[in-house]
C-alpha cells in the first residue's frame, strides 16, 4: 500500500478558525501506518505486486511462465485475457495457474510449441472491493535464424584503398550481438583504421598488406537462446605496389612497359553515413548513438561537436575510437544538430546529423492509493508527460469509466478524479492509462473506504532514556477511520499537554524539546474518534550527560623520552562508560611502548612516527564525548641545510654560422644554486617590426650550451636566454648582437578574404593584412583579382598598396563573384591564393507578395498566408517577409489619433505567420512586403479582416458616493476596451466585520446602459467590499474592487470637506508598475488606489549599481511618466512613490533600454525632386507678387482674402505621404507647425519631441510615442502614419526595424 507522507508537525492554538480545520479534514486522505498486523486485519482492494515485462521474450526450449502476483483482503481471485478475449485455462491441459497466485505456467517441454502461445496477455486480480489489472504483456518466442547461404568471392585490393566487409546478420528476436573473429575464434584487432560499425559491417579506412587473410568471419550471438551463428569466411588479399609491378612485368613483352603507381594520399570521405546530412530520432531516457566512419589516406581522425550548444559533460561517451558518440539518459534538451568532422593532413569533411528526441509517456504524478473514511473527500491525480503529449484515460475495476456503473461520489476532470462524501460502496480500483504513439503507462490506484475505531500501534510501557538538556521523542503510532485525534497526559491525574513547552507531531509523537530532570515520569497517549477510544502508557527517564573533567594537554618531547596524557571522565551512575584512545583518528599502534591504565595513556621511547593527534573518547549507550591533544617530537638541532634558489642568468651570448635562414647561438651557463639546470629557454626580439617585444624561439636541455635556430626572412633578430631548474626560472640574460636576415618573397597570403557589396553597383573586397613579420621583405603589396562566378570572363586584377580593402565599381546587382588576394613584395609573389566567393551589392526587392490570405484563429490571433515572390526579384539575400498591420479607425477617431501600425518580420522563405495580441471585435488591415539586406520591397494590396467578440476589460473606474446610514451609491465608467457589445454588469458585495472576516456574498445584475446604482437596506456602520465587472455574450471580464463604509449616525456626520460625498479607498497602494523602453527613453505607468489629489514621483537608477536613486516629480496626479536621456542597452530599476504624509512606495521593476541603432532615415531636404519643387513654388510666389504689385500700381483691386481662401500658402501646406505633393490647408484643431515628415534637419536626423516615449512589443529597437495625456499614438515599429483629417496628411520618416520574429 502506498501511503501519504505527513507534514512535520501541527500547532494547536485556541484562536484557530473552525472553518479552516473543517476544510483541512475534508481534503486530507487517511494515512495507514505500515504495520503488518494492522494491514492483515483491514479490508483492502487488490494491488498488483509482480508481473512480467510488457515485452516478454521467452525461450522456446523452456516452459512459459507469465507472472501475475497480487495482494488484497480478502485474497483476490485471478483471470486472464489473451488477445483481448477471455483465456479459459481449464480448456487447455498444458496451461496451469499457481495456487494462491495468478501466475500462468504453460508446459511446452512435454508437448506443444511456443509459437502457439504467442500473443497479448492481461491479468485481472479481483475481490469484493474491486479489480486491478496488469499491463498488456506481449509474449513472443525468441528466434535465432541461420545465415542464408551465399557465395563470397575473394577480394583483392591495392595497398591504401578503402574497404567495407558486409555482415548482414539474420533478423532475430531479440537482435543479435555482432563481432568479427578468425577461424581460431580470436577477435580481429580493431583500431582507428579498422573498426566495426553499429550495423555490424567491418570498415577499413585504408588497407595494408598485413590485412591479408582468408578468415574474416562475422558471428551473430543470440543471448536469449545462447546460440552463435556464423557467416561464411571472407578472403582478402592486399597487394603492394612492388608485387603488382612484378605481376604486370611477368605478363608483358620486353618491348612493353607499364608500371603500377602507389595509392595517392587523399582527403577523407565518409563511408557511413552517406551525404552531408542525415536524421536521427531517439526516445527520452535511451542511449543516443551517433556514428561516423570515414576513409582516407592517412587514416582520418573523427571529432564531434554540437551546433549552437555543448555536449553534456557527464553523459557523453565515445566508443569505437571516437567514431561513435553516445549520450546516456537522453532528453528533449539534447535535440539539435550534431556534426562529425573527419580530418587528416590533406583536408577535412563534415556530416550533420539532426537529432530529434521524442518521449514515451513518463510519470509526473502517478495516482496514489486512497484510504478514506465514510463522508470524506479525496482526489486521484494522474499526470504524465511525453512527446507527443500523452492521452489520459480512466478505468474502474478494469472497465472504461465511460461504461462503468455510475458513482454519485465520483467526478472526473481530465487527469483528476474528485471524490466527495464517499461511502463504503465507493471502494474500487481505478486504472490510469497514459499513452502516445511510443508507448503507454498503466497505474492501478484503489479507493478504500473504511470505518475503524482507534488503535494504538506502539507497544505498551516502553522505557525511554534521554540525556538531560536534549530532545525527547515519545512515540504513539495510531490508526483509525475517521482519523483519530491524539492527546497526551503526564501522570495519572494530569491535564492534557499543550504546545507551550511540548510539540505534538501529526504522527502522534510527543516531543519535549529540552528534557529536564523533572520531565521524568509516565506519559499517556489517548486516541479518539466517533467509533471509540484507545490509550497507551510509556515511561521517560532523564540521565546526566557524560563529561571529560580533565583533558589531555599539548606536549613537546625529545626523541627517545617518555610522555603521558591524562583523561578523567564523569558520567551518570546508571550508565557504564567505555574509554578509548585514538591516534590521528585511528587505533593506537600495536606496540608495547603504548600502555593505557584507568585515566592515562603512556608512550615510552618516543620516536618521530609517534608525533600526531591523540584523542580520548568516552562512550555510553546514550552519548559520547571526546578531547584531543597534539604530541610534537623534536630532535637535536640539525646542521644547516644548503641554500636552494633559481639559477643565475646565462652570459657571453655569441652568434656564429650566420646563414640566410639559420644561425647558431652559444652561451655560458650561470650558477645553478644547488639545483641542476633542467632546460634553457631562448627568446628573440624583432627590432625592425616589434621593438621591445620578446617572443619564444626554442627550448633545449639543461646540458646544452649551443642551439641551431631557424630564422624568418627580413627580420632584425636579437636573442636572450633564460635557465630553469626545479626551483624556478632565472632572469633573462643580456641581449645578443643584432642579425638582419635577407628579404624573400611572402610565403603566405592574407586571411579572411570576403566580398560584399555596399551599393547595388559595387563589390567591396576586404582581407586581413599580413603583419610586418609575415611580409618577408620590403614593399608589401596585394594583387586583388575578381571575376563573375557564372560567366566566362577572364580575371580582372589590380595591385594595391598595403591596405585591407578594395572597391570594384560598376558591377551588376547581386551577382556572385570569385575573389582572390595574393601578397607580393619587392622580391616576388606569395603562392597562388585560394578562391573565395562573394556577392556584389543588393538592391531593394521589385515585387510584392501576392495572394495574401487571412485566417482569424480567435479574438486575439490571426494567421496570414501569402505566395512567395520569385527569388530573382528579391535582388539580394532573402531575409524574410514583413507584415504591416493596424487597427482601422472610424472616421471620427481618425481625426484625433494616429494609426497604431505594427510590424512583424518572419525570417527566411516563409509563406505564413501568426499575428498575436489583436484586439477583439475590431477591424484590421494589413499588407506584406519582402525584405532583403538592402531593405523592403513594395507592399502587397491591403487586406482587411475582423476579429470576433471577446470578454471586456475591467470597468475604467468605480466610486462610492453619498454614504448614508443604510445605503451607498456606486458610480462607474464603462470598460476602456469593451471588446464587443456589453450585455450587463454584475455587482457582487459582502460585509466585512471587525476581524476582517467576510460575510455572505450578494449577486446583482445591472443593465449595460447604467453608470450609477444605489444599494439600499444596508447595515449601518458596516464596511462592504464590492466586486464589479462587465459582460459580453462571450463571457465575463476582469473585475474591479472597492471598499466603503456606511455612516454611523446622520446626526453625527461632520460638515463635508474637500472630497466629501466620496468614500476614501482603504489601504492606498500603487500596483501594476510597468516600463516600456526604447533606446534612450522609457514610459513608466502604474495603477493607483487611494485618495485623490496625490502627487507622485518616479525614482530610477542603473540596476545592480550602488548609486543613489534619481528622482523625477510627476505633474498633477497622472499615472504615467516619460524618462529621457537613458543609455542604450542598459538595465534600469524603477519605482513610484507618493509625496506627503501618506508616503507609500510601489515595488521595484527592472527594464532594459534597446541597443543603439544607426538611423536609416532619408533626409527629404536633400532629395533632388524636393529641391526642384521648392524652387518652382518660390518662382510662382515671386511671379504672383510681381503681378499684384503691377496691378496695385495701376489702381486695380486684388481680392487677396479670396485668393488666400482658394490657394493656401504653400510654405505651410503639409506634404502628402504617397507622392510628396502638397495637401489642402485646414483649420482643424490639431494643425501645428510641421515637426516631422514634411521637413528634416540638415544632419539627416529627426528630432524627438519632449513627449516621446517608447513601447516594446514584437521586435527589437521598437519605438513609439505618447501624447501629453499619456495615450499611446505611435506604433511598435517606430513608424507613424496619420490618416487624412479634413484634407490634411502628414508623413514621418521611418525608423529602422531590426526585430526578426517567427511564429508558426
Amino acid at each position: 500500500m502506498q501511503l501519504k507522507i505527513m507534514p512535520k508537525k501541527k500547532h494547536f492554538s485556541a484562536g484557530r478558525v473552525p472553518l479552516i480545520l473543517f476544510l483541512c479534514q475534508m481534503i486530507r486522505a487517511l494515512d495507514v501506518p505500515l504495520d503488518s498486523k494492522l494491514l492483515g486485519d483491514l479490508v483492502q482492494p487488490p494491488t498488483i505486486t509482480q508481473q512480467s515485462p510488457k515485452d516478454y521474450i521467452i525461450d522456446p526450449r523452456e516452459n512459459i511462465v507469465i507472472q501475475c502476483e497480487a495482494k488484497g483482503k480478502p485474497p483476490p481471485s485471478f483471470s486472464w485475457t489473451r488477445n483481448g478475449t477471455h483465456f479459459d485455462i481449464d480448456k487447455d491441459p498444458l496451461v496451469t495457474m499457481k495456487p494462491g497466485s495468478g501466475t500462468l505456467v504453460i508446459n511446452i517441454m512435454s508437448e506443444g510449441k511456443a509459437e502457439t502461445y504467442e500473443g497479448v496477455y492481461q491479468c485481472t486480480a479481483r475481490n469484493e472491493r474491486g479489480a486491478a489489472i496488469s499491463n498488456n504483456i506481449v509474449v513472443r518466442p525468441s528466434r535465432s535464424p541461420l545465415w542464408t547461404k551465399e557465395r563470397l568471392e575473394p577480394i583483392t585490393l591495392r595497398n591504401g584503398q578503402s574497404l567495407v566487409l558486409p555482415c548482414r546478420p539474420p533478423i532475430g528476436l531479440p537482435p543479435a550481438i555482432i563481432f568479427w573473429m578468425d577461424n581460431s575464434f580470436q577477435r580481429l584487432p580493431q583500431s582507428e583504421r579498422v573498426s566495426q560499425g553499429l550495423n555490424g559491417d567491418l570498415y577499413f579506412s585504408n588497407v595494408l598488406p598485413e590485412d591479408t587473410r582468408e578468415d574474416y568471419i562475422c558471428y551473430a550471438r543470440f543471448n536469449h537462446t545462447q546460440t552463435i551463428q556464423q557467416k561464411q569466411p571472407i578472403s582478402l588479399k592486399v597487394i603492394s605496389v612492388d608485387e603488382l609491378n612484378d605481376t604486370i612485368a611477368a605478363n608483358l613483352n620486353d618491348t612493353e612497359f607499364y608500371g603500377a603507381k602507389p595509392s595517392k594520399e587523399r582527403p577523407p570521405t565518409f563511408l557511413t553515413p552517406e551525404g552531408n546530412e542525415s536524421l536521427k530520432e531517439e526516445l527520452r531516457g535511451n542511449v543516443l548513438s551517433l556514428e561516423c566512419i570515414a576513409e582516407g589516406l592517412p587514416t582520418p581522425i573523427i571529432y564531434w561537436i554540437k551546433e549552437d550548444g555543448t555536449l553534456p559533460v557527464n553523459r557523453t561517451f565515445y566508443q569505437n575510437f571516437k567514431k561513435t558518440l553516445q549520450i546516456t539518459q537522453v532528453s528533449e534538451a539534447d535535440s539539435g544538430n550534431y556534426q562529425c568532422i573527419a580530418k587528416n593532413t590533406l583536408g577535412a569533411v563534415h556530416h550533420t546529423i539532426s537529432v530529434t528526441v521524442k518521449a514515451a509517456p513518463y510519470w509526473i504524478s502517478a495516482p496514489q492509493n486512497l484510504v478514506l473514511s465514510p463522508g470524506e473527500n479525496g482526489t486521484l491525480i494522474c499526470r504524465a508527460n511525453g512527446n507527443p503529449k500523452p492521452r489520459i484515460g480512466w478505468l474502474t475495476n478494469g472497465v472504461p469509466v465511460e461504461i462503468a456503473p455510475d458513482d454519485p461520489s465520483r467526478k472526473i476532470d481530465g487527469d483528476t478524479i474528485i471524490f466527495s462524501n464517499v461511502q463504503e460502496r465507493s471502494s474500487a480500483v481505478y486504472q490510469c492509462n497514459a499513452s502516445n504513439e511510443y508507448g503507454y503507462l498503466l497505474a492501478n490506484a484503489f479507493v478504500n473506504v473504511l470505518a475503524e475505531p482507534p488503535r494504538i500501534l506502539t507497544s505498551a510501557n516502553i522505557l525511554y532514556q534521554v540525556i538531560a538538556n536534549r530532545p525527547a521523542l515519545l512515540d504513539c503510532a495510531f490508526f483509525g477511520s475517521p482519523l483519530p485525534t491524539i492527546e497526551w497526559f503526564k501522570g495519572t491525574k494530569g491535564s492534557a499537554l499543550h504546545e507551550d513547552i511540548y510539540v505534538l507531531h501529526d504522527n502522534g509523537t510527543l516531543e519535549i524539546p529540552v528534557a529536564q530532570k523533572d520531565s521524568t515520569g509516565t506519559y499517556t497517549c489517548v486516541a479518539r474518534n466517533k467509533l471509540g477510544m484507545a490509550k497507551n502508557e510509556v515511561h521517560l527517564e532523564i540521565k546526566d550527560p557524560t563529561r571529560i573533567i580533565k583533558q589531555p594537554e599539548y606536549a613537546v618531547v625529545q626523541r627517545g623520552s617518555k610522555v603521558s596524557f591524562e583523561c578523567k571522565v564523569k558520567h551518570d551512575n546508571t550508565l557504564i562508560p567505555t574509554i578509548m584512545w585514538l591516534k590521528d583518528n585511528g587505533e593506537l599502534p600495536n606496540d608495547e611502548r603504548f600502555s593505557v591504565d584507568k585515566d592515562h595513556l603512556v608512550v615510552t621511547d618516543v620516536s618521530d612516527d609517534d608525533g600526531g593527534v591523540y584523542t580520548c573518547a568516552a562512550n555510553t549507550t546514550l552519548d559520547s564525548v571526546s578531547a584531543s591533544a597534539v604530541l610534537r617530537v623534536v630532535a637535536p638541532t640539525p646542521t644547516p641545510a644548503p641554500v636552494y634558489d633559481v639559477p643565475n642568468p646565462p652570459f657571453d651570448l655569441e652568434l656564429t654560422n650566420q646563414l640566410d635562414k639559420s644561425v647558431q647561438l652559444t652561451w655560458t651557463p650561470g650558477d645553478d644554486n644547488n639545483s641542476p639546470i633542467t632546460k634553457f629557454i631562448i627568446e628573440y626580439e624583432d627590432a625592425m617590426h616589434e621593438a621591445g617585444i620578446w617572443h619564444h624561439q626554442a627550448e633545449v636541455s639543461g646540458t646544452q650550451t649551443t642551439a641551431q635556430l631557424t630564422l624568418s626572412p627580413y627580420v632584425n633578430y636579437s636573442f636572450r636566454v633564460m635557465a630553469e631548474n626545479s626551483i624556478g626560472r632565472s632572469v633573462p640574460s643580456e641581449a645578443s648582437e643584432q642579425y638582419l636576415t635577407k628579404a624573400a618573397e611572402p610565403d603566405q597570403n592574407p586571411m579572411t578574404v570576403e566580398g560584399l557589396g555596399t551599393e547595388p553597383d559595387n563589390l567591396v573586397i576586404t582581407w586581413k593584412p599580413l603583419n610586418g613579420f609575415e611580409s618577408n621583405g620590403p614593399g608589401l603589396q596585394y594583387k586583388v583579382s575578381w571575376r563573375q562566378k557564372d560567366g566566362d570572363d577572364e580575371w580582372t586584377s589590380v595591385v594595391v598598396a598595403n591596405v585591407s580593402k578594395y572597391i570594384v565599381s560598376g558591377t551588376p546587382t547581386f551577382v556572385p563573384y570569385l575573389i582572390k588576394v595574393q601578397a607580393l613584395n619587392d622580391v616576388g609573389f606569395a603562392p597562388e591564393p585560394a578562391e573565395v566567393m562573394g556577392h556584389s551589392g543588393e538592391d531593394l526587392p521589385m515585387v510584392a507578395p501576392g495572394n495574401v490570405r487571412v485566417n482569424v484563429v480567435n479574438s486575439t490571433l490571426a494567421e496570414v498566408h501569402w505566395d512567395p515572390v520569385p527569388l530573382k526579384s528579391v535582388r539580394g539575400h532573402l531575409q524574410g517577409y514583413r507584415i504591416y498591420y493596424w487597427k482601422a479607425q472610424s472616421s471620427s477617431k481618425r481625426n484625433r489619433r494616429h494609426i497604431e501600425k505594427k510590424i512583424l518580420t518572419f525570417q527566411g522563405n516563409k509563406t505564413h505567420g501568426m499575428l498575436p495580441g489583436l484586439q477583439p471585435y475590431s477591424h484590421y488591415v494589413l499588407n506584406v512586403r519582402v525584405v532583403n539586406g538592402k531593405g523592403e520591397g513594395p507592399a502587397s494590396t491591403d487586406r482587411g479582416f475582423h476579429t470576433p467578440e471577446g470578454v471586456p476589460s475591467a470597468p475604467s473606474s468605480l466610486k462610492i458616493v453619498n454614504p448614508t446610514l443604510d445605503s451607498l451609491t456606486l458610480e462607474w465608467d464603462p470598460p476602456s476596451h469593451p471588446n464587443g457589445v456589453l450585455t450587463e454588469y454584475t455587482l457582487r458585495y459582502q460585509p466585512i466585520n471587525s476581524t476582517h472576516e467576510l460575510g455572505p456574498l450578494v449577486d446583482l445584475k445591472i443593465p449595460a446602459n447604467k453608470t450609477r446604482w444605489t444599494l439600499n437596506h444596508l447595515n449601518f456602520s458596516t464596511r462592504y467590499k464590492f466586486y464589479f465587472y462587465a459582460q459580453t455574450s462571450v463571457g465575463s471580464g476582469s473585475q474591479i474592487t472597492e471598499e466603503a463604509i456606511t455612516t454611523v449616525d446622520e446626526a453625527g456626520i461632520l460638515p463635508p470637506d474637500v472630497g466629501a460625498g466620496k468614500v476614501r479607498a482603504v489601504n492606498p497602494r500603487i500596483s501594476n508598475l510597468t516600463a516600456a523602453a526604447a533606446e534612450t527613453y522609457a514610459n513608466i505607468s502604474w495603477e493607483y488606489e487611494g485618495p485623490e489629489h496625490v502627487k507622485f514621483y518616479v525614482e530610477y537608477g542603473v540596476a545592480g549599481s550602488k548609486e543613489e536613486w534619481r528622482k523625477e516629480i510627476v505633474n498633477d496626479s497622472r499615472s504615467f511618466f516619460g524618462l529621457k536621456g537613458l543609455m542604450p542597452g542598459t538595465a534600469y530599476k524603477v519605482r513610484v512613490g507618493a509625496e506627503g504624509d501618506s508616503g507609500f512606495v510601489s515595488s521595484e521593476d527592472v527594464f532594459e533600454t534597446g541597443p543603439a541603432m544607426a538611423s536609416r532615415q532619408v533626409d527629404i531636404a536633400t532629395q533632388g525632386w524636393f529641391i526642384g519643387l521648392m524652387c518652382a513654388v518660390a518662382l510662382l510666389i515671386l511671379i504672383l507678387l510681381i503681378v499684384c504689385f503691377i496691378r496695385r500700381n495701376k489702381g486695380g483691386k486684388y481680392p487677396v482674402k479670396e485668393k488666400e481662401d482658394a490657394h493656401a500658402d504653400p510654405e505651410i501646406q503639409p506634404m502628402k505621404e504617397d507622392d510628396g505633393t502638397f495637401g489642402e490647408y485646414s483649420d482643424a484643431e490639431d494643425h501645428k507647425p510641421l515637426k516631422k515628415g514634411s521637413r528634416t534637419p540638415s544632419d539627416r536626423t529627426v528630432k524627438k519631441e519632449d513627449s516621446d516615449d517608447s513601447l516594446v512589443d514584437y521586435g527589437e529597437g521598437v519605438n513609439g510615442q505618447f501624447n501629453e495625456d499619456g495615450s499611446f499614438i505611435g506604433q511598435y515599429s517606430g513608424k507613424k502614419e496619420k490618416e487624412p483629417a479634413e484634407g490634411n496628411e502628414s508623413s514621418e520618416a521611418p525608423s529602422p526595424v531590426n526585430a526578426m520574429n517567427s511564429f508558426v
Side-chain angles (χ1 to χ4, degrees), residues 108 110 116 256 281 284 303 370 506 545 580 755 780 829 834 852 884 988 1026 1233 1243 1268:
I108 62 171
S110 57
T116 306
E256 297 175 319
E281 185 176 287
R284 182 181 187 270
Y303 302 91
L370 271 181
D506 281 348
M580 179 181 297
L780 178 64
F829 286 82
V852 177
Y884 286 68
R988 308 174 71 196
F1026 299 92
D1243 62 356
E1268 293 182 357

Side-chain angles (χ1 to χ4, degrees), residues 635-658:
T637 304
T639 57
V643 177
Y644 299 92
D645 201 354
V646 299
N648 292 343
F651 54 97
D652 288 342
L653 274 67
E654 183 180 6
L655 298 177
T656 58
N657 297 339
Q658 298 177 355

